[in-house]
Amino acid sequence: MKLPRYLQLALVLTAGAVFWSQFADDEISQAPPEAQPVSRSRPAPAKLETAHATRVDLFSTPHSRGQDAAEKPPENDRPEEAAPAAPPLPLQLLGAWWDNSQRIVVLTDGKETWPVCERCRADGRIWIGSSPVNNWILKAVANDHLLFEWQPTHSQQRLELDELQSEPTH
């Protein structure tokens, strides 16, 4: 199979450009600063190392985000005592029902369920100040969210109620 003349020429020019680009960067970086060309269109970055050191994962998963955070070097040179972060809230919304215009939200941790209500007579009910799961305390009940506090660090997390905010129409 014989390549047409224009494809042969394009192949030779491409190979020459690749060969030249491999050695042209080394010559510029090894030249003294006075001999290096000056670009007037945009300033050169202060640190070339930092441009290559940062990596952005466009398709990250929760597992890979945890690994990336573990790989990051500390920002300060002196070691500091890092405050323990609160774990993710182990409770999830299971649903809600309305009884006499009172909303009763049902939470679960995958094993047990708890109704969140102030004046109901349900078994195992929880309200503000209750601790359904170890170290998590219900701090506030709002129309659009429940606020829980992680006791060891006193950090708070919201559990959004989304479509469970209003009574369904019949």
Side-chain angles (χ1 to χ4, degrees):
M1 179 171 122
K2 183 171 168 114
L3 291 176
R5 178 72 75 201
Y6 69 93
L7 287 179
Q8 291 175 355
L9 181 63
L11 184 61
V12 168
L13 288 175
T14 303
V18 168
F19 184 74
W20 177 78
S21 68
Q22 292 297 318
F23 295 104
D25 289 342
D26 292 341
E27 291 171 6
I28 291 174
S29 64
Q30 292 174 356
E34 305 86 37
Q36 288 186 3
V38 177
S39 173
R40 302 209 186 267
S41 61
R42 62 185 169 113
K47 289 185 177 181
L48 293 177
E49 303 148 6
T50 59
H52 299 290
T54 58
R55 178 179 67 123
V56 176
D57 187 3
L58 297 177
F59 305 102
S60 65
T61 61
H63 185 272
S64 68
R65 277 184 238 131
Q67 287 177 344
D68 290 345
E71 292 173 1
K72 286 186 181 179
E75 293 180 12
N76 296 338
D77 290 340
R78 66 169 201 226
E80 291 186 19
E81 196 63 35
L89 187 63
L91 299 171
Q92 301 167 354
L93 288 173
L94 190 57
W97 78 85
W98 295 80
D99 186 29
N100 295 330
S101 298
Q102 179 188 3
R103 176 183 61 189
I104 301 170
V105 177
V106 181
L107 299 176
T108 185
D109 66 348
K111 299 173 188 166
E112 296 182 48
T113 58
W114 299 274
V116 179
C117 58
E118 184 176 19
R119 296 181 307 264
C120 67
R121 288 179 266 153
D123 291 337
R125 74 172 183 87
I126 61 172
W127 192 243
I128 297 173
S130 299
S131 179
V133 181
N134 192 20
N135 289 327
W136 286 99
I137 292 181
L138 179 63
K139 295 302 270 185
V141 177
N143 190 37
D144 61 339
H145 71 274
L146 301 175
L147 184 65
F148 287 90
E149 182 178 287
W150 173 248
Q151 286 300 296
T153 60
H154 298 288
S155 58
Q156 297 181 346
Q157 291 187 20
R158 291 170 56 132
L159 182 60
E160 299 295 330
L161 297 179
D162 298 330
E163 68 274 354
L164 303 176
Q165 294 179 23
S166 60
E167 186 173 4
T169 59
H170 299 286

